[in-house]
Amino acid sequence: MRKETQMRCLFKLTAYLAVCYVVFSIISTLSPWSLTSRQVEVERGRPVVGHLQVIRGSPRGRDRLRPAKHNFSAIHSLLVTNDKHSSPGRTDVLNMRDNVEEKNMHSKTTTSEKKSNISVNNSKSSISNNDQQSSISKSSTSTNSSEHSIPTNSLKSSISTNNLKSSVSTNITELNIVKKIPTHSISINFIGRLGNLMFQYASLYGIARKNSLRPLIPSQLIIDKLFHLDAYRVSSGYGRHSGDRKYAEQKGCTFERQALELGPDRDVFLSGYFQSWKYFKDVERDVRKQFTFNDALRAAADDQVKRLTDNADRSGFVLVGVHVRRGDMVQNKGFVDYGYIAADELYLNKAMDYFEGRYPNLKFLVVSDDIGWCKQVLDKRDNHQNVLYGPADNAPEVDMALLTRCNHTVMTVGSFGWWSAWLAGGDVIYYKGYPRPKSRLFRLLKPEDYRYPHWIGM
């Protein structure tokens, strides 16, 4: 009888210890005593960014680091490098401050195979990163009034939890990430009028940024007086110098990826028109910002819009810009033979009908180098009273500024109309008959490289 009682007690004790062991295993797995933060560590010469966890009481008697497995409050913010080029003479340094606070983190005590005294109050870690070197300093922990002692052995585990609340704040000090300053420059043979110059500058800027080169422009560049360009200005001697690498485009209206792979180790001189939006698609926001007209031009354009619409409230109607280029497209035999062609009356009416079908209250603002022809054609329309005409004596930059004040655009041919539509935004209708089929220009122009995405051809 006595032996049976002893066996029964031993069985109960074994079951109790097994339950304790399972509970202990679950708690120690799910509730590590850890400090988590976004840290930067350099391991074997390679920067490693991740969430690290401080594991107390390693076999060698010191703290060690490992990736946190149960970091439910992980900080998923990334360091974002500012794409904007620095202005001439300024050091291109990006100072970033990433302050992260984790408050009121509930911690549960865990056990190990040795006795340990654990106490936490306002633990802080500071991390500094400089040239792929990281120093991680952990402050010592101290209790408010008493220590929590947790004894354990291989068979028994006594777990005491006092609902400790630890406030852990992680302060990442200011990171000074120094962007590599370009040591070489890139320039281009600026030629042509307003639309061509804008294409060349935008492509120059995009290619420079892609190759980590400084974009150079001559100080007397016409468009530099109209917009807010972000480039290095050269007062004299602008152009190709001996020793520069020269890159000449093969086709004027086709994207050539090689231009984005020139590298940063030599000065580069570009030759060509580079009329493709793909050269500057990665810096589109910067280009739009730089191609903001100066205050005088914006004021002149706004004043003309008010006078043409009799000071009507702009919220009461939609304004569609119509750019009609004829002039040299019709009169210059060399241009015509090359493949240039002017849009016809049928196209204009079709494009304008498209917008009239979408917007009941709208007005058309026509800008052209042949206003007489436009009036002769468009006055035949049923709603011709909704067609307004820009002043015939406007300067080209004023005409473009006027078109950019519109909500949508009907463009015909040429780079001037391209940029007017691109800057205005909204819906854009373009003439599919340009360039003339089977012409030399037709073979040079790749539609998907030249036409901006989502524009509608008619």
Side-chain angles (χ1 to χ4, degrees), residues 62-121:
R62 64 183 180 214
D63 296 340
R64 59 190 178 88
L65 297 176
R66 77 174 184 190
K69 294 182 179 179
H70 303 286
N71 188 11
F72 298 107
S73 59
I75 304 167
H76 298 291
S77 61
L78 298 175
L79 298 178
V80 181
T81 304
N82 188 356
D83 280 338
K84 183 171 176 58
H85 242 28
S86 60
S87 296
R90 296 187 305 184
T91 304
D92 190 7
V93 177
L94 173 65
N95 293 324
M96 302 182 62
R97 181 183 299 272
D98 186 1
N99 295 322
V100 182
E101 293 188 357
E102 297 182 3
K103 297 181 179 181
N104 300 326
M105 295 178 60
H106 294 274
S107 307
K108 294 183 180 180
T109 58
T110 60
T111 59
S112 62
E113 293 184 356
K114 296 182 179 181
K115 292 183 179 180
S116 61
N117 294 324
I118 303 176
S119 58
V120 176
N121 184 19

Side-chain angles (χ1 to χ4, degrees), residues 240-430:
R240 183 168 179 257
H241 303 285
S242 59
D244 289 356
R245 176 179 180 180
K246 182 177 180 179
Y247 182 86
E249 68 172 352
Q250 303 301 312
K251 297 182 178 180
C253 301
T254 297
F255 172 66
E256 300 174 11
R257 184 170 298 277
Q258 304 93 300
L260 302 182
E261 301 170 351
L262 299 173
D265 55 348
R266 288 184 63 183
D267 293 334
V268 178
F269 179 77
L270 301 176
S271 176
Y273 291 93
F274 293 90
Q275 295 191 5
S276 173
W277 58 273
K278 293 183 178 179
Y279 288 118
F280 49 89
K281 68 176 182 177
D282 291 338
V283 291
E284 178 180 329
R285 183 177 299 179
D286 281 351
V287 173
R288 286 188 183 277
K289 184 177 180 181
Q290 293 180 53
F291 280 163
T292 301
F293 284 99
N294 61 41
D295 295 342
L297 286 172
R298 290 204 309 271
D302 290 337
D303 181 65
Q304 289 191 16
V305 170
K306 290 179 180 179
R307 286 191 288 107
L308 291 170
T309 59
D310 296 326
N311 290 318
D313 184 5
R314 283 295 303 271
S315 63
F317 64 93
V318 172
L319 189 61
V320 178
V322 180
H323 174 251
V324 180
R325 180 175 176 180
R326 289 179 58 81
D328 51 4
M329 298 290 180
V330 177
Q331 301 168 4
N332 191 317
K333 187 178 182 303
F335 279 14
V336 174
D337 292 341
Y338 189 70
Y340 289 100
I341 185 173
D344 55 17
E345 178 180 350
L346 179 63
Y347 163 75
L348 290 176
N349 283 312
K350 186 177 179 180
M352 295 171 76
D353 289 343
Y354 170 85
F355 283 109
E356 284 186 340
R358 292 173 63 90
Y359 306 103
N361 299 318
L362 85 164
K363 296 180 183 295
F364 294 102
L365 175 55
V366 180
V367 170
S368 175
D369 57 359
D370 194 348
I371 288 292
W373 182 88
C374 294
K375 289 182 177 180
Q376 179 183 349
V377 169
L378 301 180
D379 283 352
K380 301 175 186 177
R381 293 180 60 82
D382 293 338
N383 297 326
H384 63 87
Q385 67 275 8
N386 292 331
V387 181
L388 312 174
Y389 298 94
D393 58 350
N394 267 351
E397 58 269 22
V398 178
D399 273 346
M400 183 178 287
L402 198 59
L403 289 170
T404 62
R405 315 313 275 179
C406 299
N407 304 107
H408 310 286
T409 306
V410 174
M411 59 178 288
T412 53
V413 297
S415 56
F416 184 96
W418 195 102
W419 281 105
S420 299
W422 191 82
L423 291 175
D427 297 334
V428 176
I429 306 296
Y430 67 87

Side-chain angles (χ1 to χ4, degrees), residues 85-90 92 180-188 201 204-217 230-234 238 244 263-270:
H85 242 28
S86 60
S87 296
R90 296 187 305 184
D92 190 7
K180 184 178 180 181
I181 301 176
T183 56
H184 292 81
S185 305
I186 184 170
S187 55
I188 193 171
Y201 174 78
L204 171 71
Y205 185 82
I207 294 171
R209 289 290 301 275
K210 203 69 175 179
N211 291 285
S212 297
L213 296 168
R214 292 188 302 261
L216 301 182
I217 62 173
D230 184 13
Y232 294 81
R233 290 148 183 84
V234 178
Y238 181 84
D244 289 356
D265 55 348
R266 288 184 63 183
D267 293 334
V268 178
F269 179 77
L270 301 176

